[in-house]
């Protein structure tokens, strides 16, 4: 996966003194979900109450606001637990390539089984190879708006192959646009504003090496 993330990085203008400022740069991300961003602890770099007006920020974000993946207030549970996801494997719809699967050795004769038995075998196989995306709400902190994002993870508590050895891994991602509180300058001379940043999210997982 080659998702482009505008990562927030902390840097110093000069060693040994002064205040740090946030520097944004594009960075390729092959490891999703995105790791937690280390923020500078100084609250001086947090947005003030007047900077958090929801109507103004919604207007600034515009059509990028996606309530399915972002929330302003603390949201409820986003998805099933790992155990529930594992149980749901057998209830998922069989993909077309699995429905076309011929049972038997690769170079040998087809294995003759009844329709009911064949369906059960394929469902059993799918229960091992199905890789759901598990979503949980993540708090990005006050320097992002909206501050809550519904982040996807691949179910990887056990191997998804027979014999074991393969695991569920991300194969596709989507990008959502958020607002990031960005400061430049020093002390009373600094300038802060909201800027749009892109955040990649896992959208599909697959059983792979």
């Amino acid at each position: 996966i080659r998702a482009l993330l505008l990562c927030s990085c902390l840097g110093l203008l000069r060693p040994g003194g002064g205040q740090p400022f946030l520097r944004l740069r594009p960075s390729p991300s092959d490891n999703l979900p995105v790791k937690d961003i280390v923020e500078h602890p100084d609250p001086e770099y947090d947005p003030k109450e007047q900077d958090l007006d929801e109507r103004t920020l919604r207007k600034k974000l515009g059509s990028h606001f996606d309530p399915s993946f972002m929330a302003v207030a603390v949201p409820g549970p986003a998805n099933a637990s790992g155990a529930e996801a594992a149980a749901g494997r057998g209830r998922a719809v069989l993909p077309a390539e699995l429905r076309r699967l011929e049972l038997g050795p690769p170079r040998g004769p087809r294995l003759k089984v009844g329709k009911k038995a064949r369906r059960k075998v394929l469902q059993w196989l799918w229960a091992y190879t199905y890789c759901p995306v598990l979503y949980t709400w993540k708090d990005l902190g006050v320097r992002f708006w909206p501050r809550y994002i519904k982040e996807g993870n691949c179910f990887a508590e056990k191997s998804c192959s027979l014999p074991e050895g393969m695991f569920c891994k991300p194969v596709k991602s989507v990008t959502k646009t958020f607002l990031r509180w960005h400061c430049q300058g020093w002390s009373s001379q600094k300038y802060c504003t909201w800027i749009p940043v892109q955040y990649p999210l896992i959208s599909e997982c697959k059983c792979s090496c």
Side-chain angles (χ1 to χ4, degrees):
I1 297 173
R2 209 69 178 161
L4 188 65
L5 169 67
L6 290 178
C7 294
S8 297
C9 303
L10 290 170
L12 292 176
L13 285 176
R14 60 178 183 270
Q19 295 290 333
F21 73 101
L22 287 172
R23 185 172 65 246
L24 295 173
R25 69 168 183 264
S27 175
S29 176
D30 290 322
N31 299 313
L32 295 180
V34 175
K35 294 181 180 180
D36 292 341
I37 296 172
V38 179
E39 299 277 17
H40 192 279
D42 190 347
E44 183 67 24
Y45 292 88
D46 291 346
K48 305 301 186 286
E49 185 177 351
Q50 63 268 23
D51 301 313
L52 293 169
D53 180 69
E54 183 174 344
R55 180 179 296 182
T56 301
L57 294 178
R58 276 184 179 267
K59 184 177 180 181
K60 188 175 184 67
L61 192 58
S63 60
H64 293 296
F65 186 86
D66 185 350
S68 298
F69 285 91
M70 52 187 71
V72 178
V74 180
N79 209 330
S81 66
E84 291 172 325
R89 286 182 172 195
R91 298 193 297 269
V93 178
L94 295 178
E97 59 269 24
L98 192 56
R99 292 198 300 269
R100 294 193 296 266
L101 180 67
E102 298 292 346
L103 300 179
R107 299 177 183 274
R110 289 178 55 186
L111 183 63
K112 294 182 179 180
V113 295
K115 288 184 177 180
K116 187 175 181 180
R118 183 178 185 276
R119 184 170 63 252
K120 286 188 175 181
V121 170
L122 294 181
Q123 288 176 337
W124 180 74
L125 287 173
W126 184 225
Y128 276 87
T129 59
Y130 173 54
C131 291
V133 179
L134 302 180
Y135 289 100
T136 54
W137 286 102
K138 179 178 180 179
D139 185 357
L140 296 176
V142 71
R143 296 174 189 174
F144 280 88
W145 196 92
R147 67 179 290 171
Y148 298 97
I149 184 172
K150 191 165 74 171
E151 192 170 61
N153 286 272
C154 296
F155 180 77
E157 294 181 9
K158 57 180 289 188
S159 175
C160 56
S161 64
L162 289 172
E164 294 185 356
M166 300 171 70
F167 292 88
C168 294
K169 296 182 179 180
V171 292
K172 288 185 181 179
S173 66
V174 295
T175 299
K176 299 298 177 180
T177 300
F178 285 74
L179 296 178
R180 168 71 172 172
W181 186 246
H182 176 57
C183 293
Q184 285 186 309
W186 302 84
S187 186
S188 61
Q189 307 261 326
K190 73 178 185 301
Y191 170 76
C192 299
T193 188
W194 291 103
I195 63 172
V197 294
Q198 292 184 317
Y199 197 105
L201 299 169
I202 295 172
S203 61
E204 185 178 334
C205 301
K206 191 173 183 179
C207 188
S208 61
C209 298

